[in-house]
Amino acid sequence: MADGRREPPPYGRDRIRGSLGSNSPYEGGRGGGHPSMRGGYPPHGGPGGAGGGAGASYQTQERRPTWRNPSPGPSESRDAVPSTSAAVSTPAFSTNVHEPPPQPQPSSSGLGNIGRPLHRAAGPRRRPLADTLRTRGPDAPSKHGTTGQPLQLQSNYFKLLKRVDWTLYHYQVEMVPPCASPRLMQSLVNEHKKLLGGFVFDGVQLFTACKLSNDELVLHSQHDRTGDKYELHIQRVAVVDMTDETGIQVLNLILRRAMNGLNLQLVGRNLYDAAAKIPIREYHIELWPGYITSIRQHENEVLVCCEIAHKTMRMQTCYDILRECQRHDRNFKDAFRRAVIGCVVLTGYNNKTYTIHDVTFETTPESTFDTKNGKISFLDYYKNKYNLRIRDSYQPMLLSRAKKKDTRSGDSELMALVPELCQMTGLTDSMRSDFKMMRAMADHTRLNPDRRIERLETFNRRLQTSPESQEVFKVWQMELDRRLVELPGRLLPQEMIFFSTTSNGVQAGENADWTAHFRDNPMFATVRLSRWYLIVPSRCQREAGDFLNCMITAARGMRFEISNCEMVPMPDDSPGTYIRTLDAIINRDPQMIMCVVSNSKSDRYTAIKKKCCVERAIPTQIMVQKTITPKSGNVRTLMSVATKVVIQMNCKLGGVPWKVKIPLNGLMTIGFDVCHDSKDKSKSFGAMVATLDHDNRGTPKFFSTVSHHSSGEEISNYLPLNTVKALNEYRREFGELPKRIIFYRDGVSDGQLQYIYDHEVRSLVEKLGQIYKSAGIEQDVLLTFFIVNKRINTRFFDHRLNPRPGTVVDNVVTLPQRTDFYLVSQSVKQGTVSPTAYNVIYDTSGLKIDHLQMLSYKQCHLYYNWSGTTRVPAVCQYAHKLSFLVGQYLHQTPSNMLEKKLYFL
């Protein structure tokens, strides 16, 4: 969501017409006129379809009534808005005529100034496709590994049985006069479907399976209701190769058109089945099942990926929230704004989603706006157009900024919505913290592999049997396989976990969880804890004392020396009291401070962390009272929690709980991630965490740093500099530079790969080359740069079960232009396990693909907050943890005196 302090887009392309007025009980009577409104266009279809059919129902959009906020007059109250000019809406299917808009005036809504350009280009403009980053050369060594036990797996992909080898012709369409309604544009093109044959039309570009008679054509169409005449100027642009980016995009459009036969609804970007919604009435929410689909050219086949998705819909409208605010808050206006601004709502009459950016109490459904046929109120508009009766005619209106694609197609930048007609979507923070509700949702959303396969096969069957879908496939000569794709995989050997340099190690186990082994083994390296303090509110002293005894017992079993700490009671648990107590303790030079808090309120957590991570450099451990309270009064139930806390505290002091064998000396492994500032979305913080391994037998060292990025700054400005800091730390510790660097970059989407390669990777390689040459090392730096992506839709099944940890897939569903693979590193008890995608975009290491795969799997065993494997390499998880701490709570760079410790665990 855009930051509230940014300059908003201008409001409207509106003509000056009379004024409008209304009574609003929320403002205490007649406070003056109301902001002007503009009527909307009727629903219209999205991109064109197979065989020139009409627009798909799930692509329905509508030009919404829009909002202008004029300047308050000098004699008016702060909340009142005087009479002013109203906007004019052209009727559906007619051209727009504009007069100069009024000068921008200050906004009383908090959205800033008003104003926009007078003219716009006709019709939508399609975003150009970025070329796929090709990082794999034709003479590159094999990307298919051989290590491990062979497996035969299935994946959530279907083959296109008939190879798409037909030619597609690309044309540009311009309409004279310009047309703002995509539905009308689709209708005008459909009039010539006999001439065009099978085609796809997106409002500007036309793709046909048959070559037209001339490269330039002018076709004539007429609106069937108004009689308006249009000329369609069609010009050939290119011939499309169905294996390139444009051809694949057309295939995705055809698939979407075929899915129209399933009667799905488009909510956001994905399609959901509202008829199959799952009500969870106890928590007033509904789950809409749906599908995420995409077609792509993979190693040897064009494959369709299909993933099951769920959309959370609340059985609550914005009007329900308004009534709650009126009942429980004296200043209900501010409470209502806080409750809805930033939320996404669904309007059921056109199945569109909107993000709420502001609320106007000056305008109500009784307010009128001008149309070609005269003034009309919102009450009458929705009654006439959708047969919807608005019950409360005095409710305020919600304001939503239009998406860029909607403004390109003619919508104004601010759209007015009626709270009564807006259904809330998504979950609030309080809902997410309700364990029982999340568990009730998980019963429906976490599908086990067998249920997921069954749902995928049902989707395929519906797609194959729907008459409309069959017609689309027939026109485009496409056929979808009814079976899931089968592919080879491998199971990597189990890793050995070492708790000391002299032990033989223990196997991680089939589920990659070695928690039980801590009962019989010490930690690999510990730091004696002798000076530490326990800050606790007076009412929590008994629980804190019991938990402290459990910690000492657990530490003794792991050979971790913990002296009795000094307990510091406090009269209350306010943030100020914690700060004053910390100030007194920090002057005694403690190794660590543990704080017990009564609940999870963020203000208290933020105050403690800022004091100890920014102003001073003291590792802290914060425990919630509920966590250290024994179940049923049995203190032994706390031993599991105490064991994990003791491990965490040892890491924050510089200790290492365990290791795995990595047969590479002189290795530095780096992880990088970015988190946005929760207070200011224009800012973000990039965190880099490096593991320094000079000798496989020794204890690894850690280095972390955080860089602040303002809007517009390129991350590449900081990433090479931060890497140089890690190199200097490695040289201080071991007297030489690392022989090999493995870099794992998280938080990158496919669309950003080219940017990452051009800016971050190249600048990093250049900087490393300078450092190594200055040290007298002439050979190229042995660098491997991974892009790690865990937000993917690919799933794997092993005989209708989850694949075991260590499963690698590097064929069939991977991409031919990349050196990439999928790795299942975790074991899950519920649902279907999600693999992680690894993409090698730069590699001068000389390591085989087997070595890179095994090294990545080993790294997933080294996250010390959990005695098991993680979805991403440990350095990535550490970087995420650090960037999240800074972006959510600290909002500034931590003290550099903590760089060598995992203080952020």
Side-chain angles (χ1 to χ4, degrees):
M1 185 182 72
D3 173 49
R5 289 183 286 276
R6 282 178 54 188
E7 184 68 20
Y11 278 20
R13 179 187 73 253
D14 303 328
R15 289 198 296 176
I16 297 177
R17 289 286 187 273
S19 62
L20 43 90
S22 172
N23 268 335
S24 172
Y26 302 125
E27 294 299 318
R30 298 179 185 272
H34 292 271
S36 56
M37 297 289 160
R38 194 179 75 173
Y41 283 91
H44 57 255
S57 63
Y58 61 79
Q59 293 167 328
T60 295
Q61 302 176 6
E62 177 178 358
R63 296 278 303 282
R64 297 284 308 116
T66 56
W67 186 86
R68 294 184 62 250
N69 187 20
S71 171
S75 61
E76 300 293 333
S77 66
R78 184 176 65 86
D79 288 333
V81 180
S83 300
T84 185
S85 59
V88 171
S89 169
T90 55
F93 310 143
S94 68
T95 57
N96 291 329
V97 180
H98 306 294
E99 295 177 13
Q103 291 297 315
Q105 299 291 341
S107 166
S108 64
S109 69
L111 278 171
N113 294 333
I114 308 171
R116 65 164 295 159
L118 176 61
H119 300 293
R120 64 173 177 82
R125 285 292 174 264
R126 203 171 126 205
R127 182 178 59 188
L129 282 167
D131 292 335
T132 300
L133 176 64
R134 298 181 179 272
T135 56
R136 179 174 175 77
D139 56 347
S142 173
K143 62 184 279 188
H144 309 310
T146 57
T147 302
Q149 173 190 340
L151 300 173
Q152 191 65 24
L153 306 173
Q154 286 182 305
S155 187
N156 57 334
Y157 287 80
F158 298 101
K159 287 182 183 179
L160 280 180
L161 292 181
K162 288 187 177 180
R163 187 168 180 83
V164 184
D165 54 3
W166 29 260
T167 302
L168 203 64
Y169 298 93
H170 179 191
Y171 295 87
Q172 181 112 0
V173 179
E174 182 180 355
M175 297 202 176
V176 181
C179 174
S181 168
R183 183 179 182 181
L184 171 58
M185 292 159 63
Q186 180 68 53
S187 175
L188 298 175
V189 173
N190 282 347
E191 291 184 24
H192 306 283
K193 59 185 178 182
K194 289 185 178 179
L195 172 67
L196 300 176
F199 71 88
V200 173
F201 178 58
D202 71 352
V204 173
Q205 302 184 86
L206 177 74
F207 299 93
T208 66
C210 303
K211 184 178 180 180
L212 303 183
S213 56
N214 294 310
D215 289 348
E216 294 187 15
L217 285 176
V218 177
L219 304 179
H220 299 273
S221 298
Q222 182 174 348
H223 190 280
D224 55 0
R225 280 200 297 129
T226 64
D228 294 337
K229 295 181 179 180
Y230 293 86
E231 288 185 355
L232 279 61
H233 294 256
I234 302 176
Q235 182 174 6
R236 188 158 78 92
V237 176
V239 177
V240 177
D241 180 0
M242 293 310 295
T243 60
D244 68 12
E245 293 290 331
T246 305
I248 295 299
Q249 186 183 43
V250 171
L251 290 178
N252 279 282
L253 290 173
I254 295 170
L255 178 63
R256 280 275 176 129
R257 171 47 61 97
M259 291 174 66
N260 184 38
L262 307 185
N263 296 320
L264 303 177
Q265 293 184 10
L266 183 68
V267 181
R269 294 183 177 182
N270 302 323
L271 299 168
Y272 297 92
D273 192 349
K277 61 187 176 186
I278 305 167
I280 306 179
R281 302 190 186 281
E282 182 181 357
Y283 300 102
H284 308 289
I285 58 175
E286 296 174 341
L287 293 176
W288 287 18
Y291 307 98
I292 303 172
T293 59
S294 66
I295 297 181
R296 201 163 188 173
Q297 173 68 52
H298 291 268
E299 292 292 349
N300 300 307
E301 304 278 354
V302 176
L303 302 179
V304 180
C305 178
C306 179
E307 172 58 349
I308 307 299
H310 292 86
K311 183 71 174 177
T312 304
M313 310 295 293
R314 286 147 63 182
M315 298 179 185
Q316 188 180 37
T317 64
C318 292
Y319 184 76
D320 296 330
I321 294 177
L322 173 66
R323 300 297 292 174
E324 286 182 11
C325 293
Q326 288 175 320
R327 285 194 295 266
H328 300 110
D329 294 274
R330 297 183 67 182
N331 190 354
F332 71 90
K333 292 182 185 178
D334 288 343
F336 181 57
R337 283 192 174 100
R338 287 194 301 269
V340 300
I341 289 178
C343 293
V344 177
V345 298
L346 173 73
T347 49
Y349 48 83
N350 63 352
N351 296 321
K352 286 192 68 177
T353 55
Y354 302 89
T355 299
I356 303 305
H357 294 100
D358 206 350
V359 179
T360 171
F361 283 86
E362 298 88 5
T363 306
T364 70
E366 276 193 342
S367 303
T368 61
F369 58 93
D370 287 337
T371 68
K372 184 176 181 179
N373 298 322
K375 293 188 180 223
I376 188 172
S377 68
F378 286 94
L379 293 170
D380 294 335
Y381 173 82
Y382 284 101
K383 176 64 177 175
N384 298 340
K385 191 167 193 59
Y386 300 106
N387 196 27
L388 293 173
R389 179 176 173 270
I390 298 175
R391 293 171 297 169
D392 185 352
S393 58
Y394 298 114
Q395 60 189 293
M397 300 292 280
L398 308 174
L399 302 178
S400 174
R401 288 196 186 105
K403 299 173 180 129
K404 289 183 180 179
K405 64 178 181 179
D406 293 327
T407 58
R408 287 196 298 264
S409 62
D411 279 346
S412 291
E413 278 82 354
L414 275 183
M415 293 174 283
L417 306 169
V418 181
E420 201 174 298
L421 306 179
C422 295
Q423 183 178 359
M424 299 294 292
T425 71
L427 300 174
T428 63
D429 290 339
S430 60
M431 289 179 172
R432 290 189 179 93
S433 61
D434 187 337
F435 174 76
K436 291 183 178 179
M437 191 194 80
M438 298 304 290
R439 186 170 59 182
M441 290 178 56
D443 291 340
H444 301 284
T445 59
R446 291 182 183 172
L447 302 176
N448 291 329
D450 55 344
R451 287 182 60 196
R452 189 177 295 270
I453 291 173
E454 182 182 338
R455 291 270 296 273
L456 292 171
E457 290 173 342
T458 301
F459 165 76
N460 188 305
R461 191 161 48 249
R462 289 178 63 189
L463 199 60
Q464 302 271 13
T465 56
S466 163
E468 188 171 345
S469 303
Q470 285 181 322
E471 178 63 25
V472 172
F473 286 140
K474 181 179 178 182
V475 168
W476 291 100
Q477 304 171 23
M478 293 168 57
E479 184 179 349
L480 201 62
D481 195 353
R482 296 177 181 270
R483 300 169 300 169
L484 294 174
V485 164
E486 295 185 353
L487 69 164
R490 290 174 290 111
L491 181 63
L492 299 179
Q494 288 185 30
E495 287 297 326
M496 299 297 292
I497 308 299
F498 293 92
F499 293 96
S500 71
T501 54
T502 57
S503 70
N504 294 324
V506 297
Q507 285 195 328
E510 284 204 357
N511 293 326
D513 183 353
W514 50 94
T515 304
H517 293 293
F518 276 103
R519 300 170 187 168
D520 309 314
N521 291 282
M523 285 190 278
F524 189 89
T526 59
V527 177
R528 188 173 185 272
L529 181 57
S530 55
R531 302 185 318 279
W532 66 299
Y533 295 84
L534 175 58
I535 299 176
V536 55
S538 297
R539 64 175 181 270
C540 304
Q541 279 185 269
R542 183 175 61 83
E543 292 91 341
D546 291 342
F547 185 69
L548 179 60
N549 292 332
C550 289
M551 285 176 54
I552 294 174
T553 302
R556 190 180 302 120
M558 292 183 286
R559 316 296 194 270
F560 179 27
E561 291 186 57
I562 296 184
S563 302
N564 280 324
C565 71
E566 181 179 335
M567 188 178 294
V568 183
M570 300 188 311
D572 59 69
D573 63 350
S574 68
T577 305
Y578 278 98
I579 295 302
R580 289 190 293 271
T581 307
L582 286 169
D583 282 333
I585 291 174
I586 287 173
N587 293 329
R588 305 177 195 175
D589 190 27
Q591 287 177 278
M592 175 168 283
I593 299 174
M594 175 180 280
C595 299
V596 176
V597 295
S598 56
N599 53 47
S600 301
K601 282 189 175 180
S602 62
D603 58 344
R604 192 184 298 111
Y605 183 88
T606 298
I608 296 171
K609 288 297 183 181
K610 276 190 175 181
K611 172 62 68 173
C612 296
C613 294
V614 179
E615 298 179 26
R616 305 298 289 266
I618 307 295
T620 54
Q621 186 74 34
I622 299 179
M623 302 300 300
V624 181
Q625 180 184 359
K626 181 180 178 182
T627 305
I628 64 172
T629 302
K631 297 178 182 178
S632 305
N634 184 3
V635 179
R636 296 293 299 174
T637 59
L638 296 176
M639 285 304 297
S640 176
V641 177
T643 300
K644 293 177 181 177
V645 171
V646 165
I647 295 171
Q648 202 174 69
M649 290 171 63
N650 182 42
C651 293
K652 292 181 178 181
L653 293 171
V656 174
W658 65 82
K659 280 188 63 175
V660 297
K661 186 177 181 180
I662 299 177
L664 291 174
N665 291 329
L667 176 67
M668 184 166 75
T669 310
I670 302 175
F672 186 87
D673 203 355
V674 178
C675 182
H676 292 295
D677 191 312
S678 60
K679 287 186 175 180
D680 186 351
K681 296 298 184 184
S682 67
K683 299 178 181 178
S684 58
F685 292 93
M688 193 189 81
V689 178
T691 304
L692 318 179
D693 286 291
H694 184 255
D695 183 354
N696 186 54
R697 293 172 177 253
T699 302
K701 307 294 183 181
F702 297 94
F703 177 82
S704 64
T705 183
V706 176
S707 54
H708 168 257
H709 310 296
S710 299
S711 62
E713 286 187 324
E714 296 177 352
I715 295 173
S716 61
N717 296 338
Y718 301 93
L719 190 143
L721 297 177
N722 290 338
T723 305
V724 171
K725 290 182 184 178
L727 288 173
N728 292 334
E729 182 61 31
Y730 191 101
R731 183 153 43 184
R732 277 193 294 268
E733 287 285 346
F734 306 115
E736 62 181 7
L737 291 171
K739 297 174 183 175
R740 194 182 307 273
I741 301 173
I742 307 293
F743 204 115
Y744 292 98
R745 174 69 158 92
D746 203 352
V748 179
S749 66
D750 270 5
Q752 297 172 309
L753 286 178
Q754 189 70 53
Y755 173 85
I756 295 295
Y757 184 79
D758 290 341
H759 295 268
E760 292 188 0
V761 177
R762 289 183 176 177
S763 59
L764 176 62
V765 171
E766 181 181 353
K767 193 68 176 177
L768 290 178
Q770 295 172 3
I771 297 293
Y772 275 75
K773 283 183 180 178
S774 66
I777 303 173
E778 294 298 329
Q779 70 178 43
D780 289 341
V781 181
L782 302 181
L783 170 67
T784 304
F785 198 103
F786 281 94
I787 298 295
V788 181
N789 192 356
K790 56 185 178 292
R791 295 183 179 179
I792 58 176
N793 296 321
T794 299
R795 299 291 182 269
F796 298 115
F797 314 108
D798 186 358
H799 296 88
R800 304 183 79 89
L801 297 174
N802 277 321
R804 287 163 285 178
T807 299
V808 172
V809 174
D810 55 17
N811 206 342
V812 181
V813 295
T814 50
L815 301 178
Q817 66 269 21
R818 298 180 184 174
T819 301
D820 59 341
F821 60 89
Y822 294 94
L823 173 62
V824 176
S825 54
Q826 277 187 310
S827 174
V828 298
K829 295 180 180 178
Q830 289 182 312
T832 305
V833 69
S834 297
T836 300
Y838 292 80
N839 180 15
V840 183
I841 66 172
Y842 185 88
D843 184 25
T844 56
S845 68
L847 296 175
K848 295 180 180 179
I849 189 65
D850 279 306
H851 298 150
L852 295 177
Q853 292 171 356
M854 294 177 68
L855 181 61
S856 299
Y857 185 46
K858 287 175 182 289
Q859 286 291 327
C860 295
H861 291 71
L862 297 174
Y863 181 64
Y864 298 138
N865 238 3
W866 163 243
S867 49
T869 49
T870 50
R871 281 189 65 187
V872 295
V875 285
C876 279
Q877 192 67 22
Y878 289 138
H880 170 73
K881 191 86 173 177
L882 177 54
S883 63
F884 184 82
L885 170 67
V886 178
Q888 293 291 314
Y889 301 106
L890 302 184
H891 308 294
Q892 52 190 311
T893 304
S895 169
N896 57 11
M897 296 179 66
L898 292 170
E899 288 177 341
K900 299 180 184 180
K901 297 177 180 178
L902 299 176
Y903 63 94
F904 43 83
L905 283 184

